[in-house]
Amino acid sequence: MLIKGRRTLACAPTNTAVLEIAVRIAKLVAESSDGGVFLNDIVLFGNKKKMKIDDDYYLSKVYVNSRAERLLPCFLPSKGWRHCVCGLLKKSENMIPLELLIIDEAAQLKECETLIPLQLPGIRHAVFIGDEYQLPALVKSKISDAANFGRSVFERLSSLGYSKHLLNIQYRMHSEISKFPVGTFYDGKISDGPNVSHKYYNKRFLAGKLFRPYSFINVDGHETCEKHGLSLKNSIEVAAIVLIVRRLFKETVSTGSKLSVGVVPPYNAQVRAIQEKVEKAYSRSDGFLVKVKSVDGFQGAEEDIIIISTVRSNGAGSVGFLSNLQRTNVALTRAK
């Protein structure tokens, strides 16, 4: 749409999903050699702190606050608009209204939230992209949830019989990773792309039979309750994860390669426990990136390696959050 000169608004319910779109589009435009589209044609809105704008070159170029700061000299009395050679805008006049609305993670967005961008003047077409088998909108009130307050427009239109186009090729996961979720959640209707089926996609970051593309590691530890009983954590799993991340870091440094690692626990207490041990230790490491977020925080994201910390280990056999198939699907499909 940028190439065609059509003004488009892309929205998503989470910062993660918005950033995925913004980074990829900005990078494609910056690396493009045709000269028909510029970074100035892109504007990113959002919470600067949560989005960590300063950590990414492309995002800092398109973020609305940064754009405003670069425009400021053009409005100073000493310079004025006519004398300002900013190269920041292309045609300020004859602004075409927004025509196309694209909503990513549309199955995770409440109907009332979807109405916000739909009210913008000039919108003629709307495209909803989402996955009903991943996380829906979060509704804490049981009464509101029972009243379908968390239902998305994506789900409503689907229930009314509107046709959907299935994106039936996945280009992220190694075939050994995709096999279970594709068979369990998508009736085997999704196939692996040529890139993930290629023999060179099978990377072994750590030696040993334990670290295959898809591994289960059983640790002998029990869950404990955080202070005030707000959330659960598992200290033995934390120690095991720290050990694996340390080994991955050493391997990355010794080979001079780049690697992104995501750690996904279902409980915030475990998230905090792992962040204290891992994120600070490797926050300034070039080429080695570690992110620790809950399952909900990872929807729409992907990393080279994903370590899932299940936390739950008790005599009653209770698995808590992991009993939710949509949450399990998200966790199992983040890794490359």
Side-chain angles (χ1 to χ4, degrees), residues 60-129:
S60 64
K61 288 291 184 183
V62 300
Y63 185 57
V64 63
N65 290 24
S66 303
R67 297 277 299 273
E69 288 174 4
R70 298 202 300 276
L71 273 173
L72 184 62
C74 299
F75 294 93
L76 295 175
S78 59
K79 293 186 178 181
W81 184 260
R82 291 185 180 182
H83 302 285
C84 184
V85 186
C86 296
L88 292 172
L89 292 178
K90 187 174 61 172
K91 297 183 179 179
S92 296
E93 72 273 1
N94 300 324
M95 187 65 79
I96 304 169
L98 288 162
E99 298 175 89
L100 175 64
L101 169 65
I102 300 176
I103 298 182
D104 189 23
E105 301 290 352
Q108 196 187 5
L109 196 64
K110 302 181 188 77
E111 285 188 80
C112 56
E113 292 173 317
T114 310
L115 293 177
I116 298 170
L118 283 173
Q119 292 184 75
L120 290 169
I123 298 291
R124 298 174 59 193
H125 303 281
V127 179
F128 298 96
I129 304 172

Side-chain angles (χ1 to χ4, degrees), residues 185-196:
F185 304 110
Y186 302 99
D187 297 324
K189 294 179 180 178
I190 297 177
S191 58
D192 298 326
N195 64 319
V196 297

Side-chain angles (χ1 to χ4, degrees), residues 11-228:
C11 301
T14 65
N15 285 315
T16 302
V18 171
L19 287 178
E20 286 289 328
I21 298 169
V23 169
R24 295 186 189 209
I25 292 177
K27 189 174 182 181
L28 282 172
V29 169
E31 294 175 354
S32 174
S33 57
D34 59 15
V37 183
F38 305 91
L39 282 176
N40 294 335
D41 297 322
I42 306 168
V43 182
L44 171 64
F45 295 84
N47 187 304
K48 185 175 183 179
K49 185 177 180 180
K50 290 183 179 180
M51 288 185 164
K52 299 180 179 178
I53 301 295
D54 295 329
D55 296 345
D56 190 282
Y57 171 78
Y58 296 111
L59 291 180
S60 64
K61 288 291 184 183
V62 300
Y63 185 57
V64 63
N65 290 24
S66 303
R67 297 277 299 273
E69 288 174 4
R70 298 202 300 276
L71 273 173
L72 184 62
C74 299
F75 294 93
L76 295 175
S78 59
K79 293 186 178 181
W81 184 260
R82 291 185 180 182
H83 302 285
C84 184
V85 186
C86 296
L88 292 172
L89 292 178
K90 187 174 61 172
K91 297 183 179 179
S92 296
E93 72 273 1
N94 300 324
M95 187 65 79
I96 304 169
L98 288 162
E99 298 175 89
L100 175 64
L101 169 65
I102 300 176
I103 298 182
D104 189 23
E105 301 290 352
Q108 196 187 5
L109 196 64
K110 302 181 188 77
E111 285 188 80
C112 56
E113 292 173 317
T114 310
L115 293 177
I116 298 170
L118 283 173
Q119 292 184 75
L120 290 169
I123 298 291
R124 298 174 59 193
H125 303 281
V127 179
F128 298 96
I129 304 172
D131 187 345
E132 297 169 281
Y133 301 104
Q134 293 192 13
L135 289 172
L138 177 63
V139 179
K140 294 185 178 180
S141 165
K142 292 182 179 180
I143 297 174
S144 297
D145 192 37
N148 282 331
F149 186 75
R151 179 176 58 181
S152 64
V153 170
F154 190 100
E155 185 182 347
R156 179 198 275 268
L157 295 178
S158 178
S159 67
L160 293 174
Y162 280 77
S163 61
K164 294 177 290 186
H165 175 71
L166 177 65
L167 300 176
N168 60 357
I169 302 177
Q170 71 87 14
Y171 302 94
R172 173 187 298 160
M173 297 167 277
H174 186 280
S175 57
E176 287 188 33
I177 301 174
S178 67
K179 186 176 181 179
F180 175 78
V182 166
T184 304
F185 304 110
Y186 302 99
D187 297 324
K189 294 179 180 178
I190 297 177
S191 58
D192 298 326
N195 64 319
V196 297
S197 302
H198 200 280
K199 62 180 181 179
Y200 292 115
Y201 203 78
N202 186 13
K203 298 178 181 177
R204 290 292 184 93
F205 295 97
L206 293 177
K209 294 182 179 180
L210 188 63
F211 300 107
R212 294 176 176 176
Y214 201 79
S215 301
F216 288 93
I217 301 174
N218 183 34
V219 295
D220 188 15
H222 287 278
E223 65 194 54
T224 56
C225 218
E226 195 182 37
K227 289 182 179 179
H228 312 298

Side-chain angles (χ1 to χ4, degrees), residues 252-270:
T252 302
V253 172
S254 64
T255 57
S257 57
K258 292 186 177 182
L259 184 67
S260 63
V261 180
V263 185
V264 190
Y267 294 92
N268 287 327
Q270 188 78 342

Side-chain angles (χ1 to χ4, degrees), residues 236-247:
I236 303 299
E237 286 187 19
V238 173
I241 288 165
V242 170
L243 185 62
I244 294 171
V245 171
R246 188 181 299 147
R247 286 188 59 185

